[in-house]
Amino acid sequence: NLPAKSSAIKNLCDTKRNSTTIDHRMYNAVHAYTTARQEIAILQSLHHPQIVELLGVVIHPLALVLELAPHGSLNSLLKTYRDKQDMLPVFAVKNVILQIASALSYLHSKGIIYRDLKSENVLVWSFPIPLTVKPDFHVDVRLADYGISRMSLPTGTKGFGGTPPFIAPEILQHVGKDIYTDKVDSFSFGMFIYELVTCQQPLWKESHVNNFICQGGRPKVTPEETECPSHFLDLMTLCWSQEAKDRPSMDDIIKLASCTEFCHFMDAVSLEAAVTVLASCIFFYGSSSESCAYDNIRDIGESYTQLWLSTHLADKNMLEIYTFYRNKCVESKFVKHLSVHALCSSDQHVWGLGNKQMVYVFSPESLLCIQQIMLTVEPVCSPLDIHYLEQSKKILTIFTDGTVIACEAEVSEHSLNLEEENEAVVHTLQLPRNTTFSSTVVETRHRCLLWRGTTDCMLEVFDITDLLDWQQKHDVKAMTVGHLADEKGQSVCYLLVTWSSALTNTDYVFSYNYPGSTVVRWNVHTHLQESTLDCESAVADIKRPKKKTCLVTAMNVVAGHLYVGTTLGIIVVAEALTMVPLAILQCHGTSEFYIKAIQPLQVDTGMMEVCTPASTVGIPRSAQSSRDQRGIITVGRGFVDPFRNFLEQLKRSSVPYLESGKLPDDMYKRHAFLISWIAEDWCNY
């Protein structure tokens, strides 16, 4: 006995005989018969998890017995989302794209062109309801209605069919009398993605849809709708290309949509030159009732982030400020030429450490240097780091010879003579001097600890709490912490990052020794190693240039995730607590440069450490975009764009002289880039 299945009846014949003439009934009967033959001929040979199964046929009245979709058509669900002023979750869009592309790829492998892809013909077995965010929710959609599908030869087929505006221009222009290929389904797929992104039918206001499509017209998206991952829009526009040869196949779509970057990439900004990035920091603007100074930020009360960069090009130094809103760059500005080697931000200002022991104080609102502080007239080595101490409201500067100088972080913007150095209370901390390559500060409830990375794989830890009380003199001894020795011999502690976990109520320091590929997590309280991450092993399956080693060039911890930049242009994403790799982002180039910095796009607090979908239930996705879609910015040379790589492959195949050669070098390899990412749900998509 076969197991019982819920079924749906698809009537093919008009049973209301009294309401039509005999000719009309005859026409309906013939149409129902031809439709039944068409669908049965196709469905009886198809077996795919994303294609609705044919269970049987009813002779009178003529009907097909199909699997029952418990939630009806996707079109009705999209209407529900639209009525709730909500948008499809990112994971749901990706799953629908992959499942329907898989079904169409299967059809194409059988020589079948579907010709009628739209949300009305996609049935739903499992799908998240509006106003909920559950990235692990199971999505199950299937392709139905094969009434106008067409078997085709390898060279293509003819015939008119489809629903405007989902019909490809090559069908419209020749009314189906010319040969076309399965790339017509790729065009429909672009319109289908538009439905998923906007939750509405494309070109529903256009009166002459077919002419509009033939002339190259396409639907428009609103600024709010562009807040989805940018690769969604890239795939959409690629699919609805005017020329069939420029569209991806279903296998191409599956490959593009399966990569990690597809759901996380938001924006890429070229610095328009092969500049060297010396330092970076962020300044976070929280919600405010006051009007925003940036025209591109639409809503009063929204938060946004400034990324400050110190750059160097052709013997010139520059400060560049990029403003990000909802994880996309909306504005860039430049400050006068200054040589700044380290940057940090306090509650109200941005601080820069320059040459000759000079500290510059900048206003994030006016972008002007409002104060200059001379730390000392005594000669010291090169500037290394600058830190803001939130509890004591002080600025801590570190130099490569181990000199540590602190100054007050309180700045008055009134009555400042910007042409001269301003007097400020500064104090050199009496710490042992040792060649220093990296530093970080850990502020606990009652203590302030300075961690310094030195030679011979060693870390030094100083409790500087009492030293910050400048009224008294204190002696401080360093606690030396061992590090993993490098197999090749001599190495230095090159990177240090601090993280405070709300889950374990513990502070941690992450360190990296150069040269090497291992990141170590230390417990601040016990000074013991607790876990390691071998980046070389994490990227072992990634193709790379010959003899290219995986060295670490940047680290940061954002919302409970450890982000590690490497010389391969790859970001390794791992859980900060377990050090288990979650994802690999291939984002920057590998030939010349490395990833210089990784910065958060939202303020990182203990409450943001773990994604809690239940806390966002009932909040429309449009309202969550800036609140819940945490982001990061990666800074490095080159930009690896999977969609551009696909276009390059098309160009090689269509331009003879490029078939065996390489494309000319361009800005995607030479320029420095800022790339913003959605930094959440790495396990789910």
Side-chain angles (χ1 to χ4, degrees), residues 420-441:
E420 300 178 359
E421 300 157 11
N422 298 113
E423 294 184 1
V425 179
V426 298
H427 183 70
T428 301
L429 275 61
Q430 300 302 314
L431 298 176
R433 294 194 179 186
N434 196 358
T435 303
T436 304
F437 294 91
S438 59
S439 69
T440 191
V441 174

Short mmCIF file of all heavy atoms in Angstrom, two decimals, residues 420-441:
data_model
loop_
_atom_site.label_atom_id
_atom_site.label_comp_id
_atom_site.label_asym_id
_atom_site.label_seq_id
_atom_site.Cartn_x
_atom_site.Cartn_y
_atom_site.Cartn_z
N GLU A 420 48.00 77.18 16.66
CA GLU A 420 49.02 76.86 17.64
C GLU A 420 48.65 75.59 18.38
O GLU A 420 47.51 75.17 18.41
CB GLU A 420 49.18 78.01 18.65
CG GLU A 420 49.58 79.33 18.01
CD GLU A 420 49.68 80.44 19.04
OE1 GLU A 420 49.41 80.15 20.22
OE2 GLU A 420 50.02 81.56 18.66
N GLU A 421 49.67 75.01 18.99
CA GLU A 421 49.42 73.83 19.81
C GLU A 421 48.77 74.28 21.11
O GLU A 421 49.15 75.28 21.71
CB GLU A 421 50.73 73.11 20.10
CG GLU A 421 51.44 72.63 18.82
CD GLU A 421 52.91 72.44 19.05
OE1 GLU A 421 53.33 72.47 20.22
OE2 GLU A 421 53.66 72.29 18.06
N ASN A 422 47.75 73.51 21.53
CA ASN A 422 47.04 73.85 22.75
C ASN A 422 47.63 73.12 23.94
O ASN A 422 48.09 71.98 23.84
CB ASN A 422 45.56 73.47 22.61
CG ASN A 422 44.91 74.26 21.49
OD1 ASN A 422 44.53 73.70 20.48
ND2 ASN A 422 44.78 75.56 21.66
N GLU A 423 47.61 73.78 25.06
CA GLU A 423 48.10 73.16 26.28
C GLU A 423 47.14 72.08 26.74
O GLU A 423 45.93 72.27 26.72
CB GLU A 423 48.28 74.22 27.38
CG GLU A 423 49.37 75.25 27.07
CD GLU A 423 49.56 76.19 28.23
OE1 GLU A 423 48.85 76.01 29.24
OE2 GLU A 423 50.40 77.09 28.12
N ALA A 424 47.67 70.97 27.11
CA ALA A 424 46.86 69.87 27.62
C ALA A 424 47.69 69.13 28.65
O ALA A 424 48.94 69.14 28.61
CB ALA A 424 46.45 68.93 26.49
N VAL A 425 47.00 68.51 29.57
CA VAL A 425 47.68 67.76 30.62
C VAL A 425 48.13 66.43 30.04
O VAL A 425 47.31 65.60 29.62
CB VAL A 425 46.75 67.53 31.82
CG1 VAL A 425 47.46 66.72 32.89
CG2 VAL A 425 46.27 68.86 32.37
N VAL A 426 49.45 66.23 29.97
CA VAL A 426 50.00 64.98 29.44
C VAL A 426 50.90 64.36 30.50
O VAL A 426 51.42 65.05 31.38
CB VAL A 426 50.79 65.22 28.14
CG1 VAL A 426 49.89 65.75 27.05
CG2 VAL A 426 51.97 66.14 28.38
N HIS A 427 51.08 63.07 30.40
CA HIS A 427 51.87 62.36 31.42
C HIS A 427 52.49 61.13 30.77
O HIS A 427 51.81 60.33 30.12
CB HIS A 427 50.97 61.94 32.58
CG HIS A 427 51.71 61.28 33.70
ND1 HIS A 427 52.57 61.95 34.53
CD2 HIS A 427 51.72 59.99 34.12
CE1 HIS A 427 53.08 61.12 35.42
NE2 HIS A 427 52.57 59.92 35.19
N THR A 428 53.79 60.98 30.94
CA THR A 428 54.50 59.79 30.45
C THR A 428 54.46 58.72 31.54
O THR A 428 54.92 58.93 32.66
CB THR A 428 55.95 60.13 30.10
OG1 THR A 428 55.97 61.15 29.09
CG2 THR A 428 56.68 58.90 29.58
N LEU A 429 53.93 57.57 31.20
CA LEU A 429 53.82 56.48 32.16
C LEU A 429 55.18 55.82 32.33
O LEU A 429 55.87 55.53 31.35
CB LEU A 429 52.79 55.46 31.70
CG LEU A 429 51.32 55.75 32.06
CD1 LEU A 429 50.83 57.05 31.44
CD2 LEU A 429 50.42 54.59 31.63
N GLN A 430 55.54 55.60 33.58
CA GLN A 430 56.84 55.01 33.89
C GLN A 430 56.77 53.49 33.74
O GLN A 430 56.59 52.74 34.69
CB GLN A 430 57.24 55.38 35.32
CG GLN A 430 57.37 56.88 35.55
CD GLN A 430 58.39 57.51 34.60
OE1 GLN A 430 59.50 56.98 34.43
NE2 GLN A 430 58.03 58.64 33.99
N LEU A 431 56.89 53.07 32.48
CA LEU A 431 56.86 51.65 32.17
C LEU A 431 58.19 51.23 31.56
O LEU A 431 58.87 52.04 30.92
CB LEU A 431 55.72 51.33 31.18
CG LEU A 431 54.29 51.62 31.65
CD1 LEU A 431 53.32 51.35 30.53
CD2 LEU A 431 53.94 50.78 32.86
N PRO A 432 58.56 49.97 31.74
CA PRO A 432 59.78 49.48 31.10
C PRO A 432 59.67 49.63 29.58
O PRO A 432 58.61 49.36 29.00
CB PRO A 432 59.84 48.00 31.50
CG PRO A 432 58.99 47.90 32.72
CD PRO A 432 57.91 48.93 32.57
N ARG A 433 60.76 50.09 28.97
CA ARG A 433 60.74 50.28 27.52
C ARG A 433 61.27 49.03 26.84
O ARG A 433 62.30 48.49 27.21
CB ARG A 433 61.54 51.50 27.12
CG ARG A 433 60.94 52.80 27.63
CD ARG A 433 61.55 54.00 26.94
NE ARG A 433 60.95 55.23 27.41
CZ ARG A 433 61.21 56.43 26.89
NH1 ARG A 433 62.08 56.54 25.89
NH2 ARG A 433 60.62 57.52 27.36
N ASN A 434 60.52 48.61 25.82
CA ASN A 434 60.89 47.43 25.05
C ASN A 434 60.33 47.62 23.65
O ASN A 434 59.27 48.23 23.49
CB ASN A 434 60.33 46.17 25.71
CG ASN A 434 60.99 44.91 25.18
OD1 ASN A 434 61.85 44.98 24.30
ND2 ASN A 434 60.59 43.77 25.71
N THR A 435 61.02 47.13 22.66
CA THR A 435 60.53 47.28 21.29
C THR A 435 59.13 46.70 21.18
O THR A 435 58.89 45.53 21.52
CB THR A 435 61.46 46.56 20.30
OG1 THR A 435 62.78 47.08 20.43
CG2 THR A 435 60.98 46.76 18.87
N THR A 436 58.20 47.52 20.71
CA THR A 436 56.78 47.17 20.72
C THR A 436 56.24 47.13 19.29
O THR A 436 56.50 48.04 18.50
CB THR A 436 55.97 48.18 21.55
OG1 THR A 436 56.53 48.23 22.89
CG2 THR A 436 54.51 47.78 21.64
N PHE A 437 55.48 46.09 18.98
CA PHE A 437 54.91 45.92 17.65
C PHE A 437 53.39 46.03 17.64
O PHE A 437 52.79 46.25 16.58
CB PHE A 437 55.31 44.57 17.07
CG PHE A 437 56.78 44.44 16.81
CD1 PHE A 437 57.63 43.94 17.79
CD2 PHE A 437 57.33 44.83 15.60
CE1 PHE A 437 58.99 43.82 17.56
CE2 PHE A 437 58.69 44.73 15.37
CZ PHE A 437 59.53 44.22 16.36
N SER A 438 52.75 45.86 18.79
CA SER A 438 51.30 45.94 18.87
C SER A 438 50.88 46.22 20.30
O SER A 438 51.67 46.02 21.24
CB SER A 438 50.65 44.63 18.39
OG SER A 438 51.11 43.54 19.18
N SER A 439 49.66 46.70 20.48
CA SER A 439 49.16 46.99 21.83
C SER A 439 47.64 46.97 21.83
O SER A 439 47.00 47.16 20.79
CB SER A 439 49.66 48.35 22.31
OG SER A 439 49.05 49.40 21.58
N THR A 440 47.08 46.74 22.98
CA THR A 440 45.64 46.86 23.19
C THR A 440 45.40 47.14 24.67
O THR A 440 46.27 46.88 25.51
CB THR A 440 44.90 45.59 22.74
OG1 THR A 440 43.49 45.85 22.72
CG2 THR A 440 45.16 44.42 23.68
N VAL A 441 44.25 47.66 24.97
CA VAL A 441 43.90 48.03 26.35
C VAL A 441 42.64 47.26 26.75
O VAL A 441 41.68 47.19 25.99
CB VAL A 441 43.66 49.54 26.48
CG1 VAL A 441 43.16 49.89 27.88
CG2 VAL A 441 44.95 50.30 26.17
#
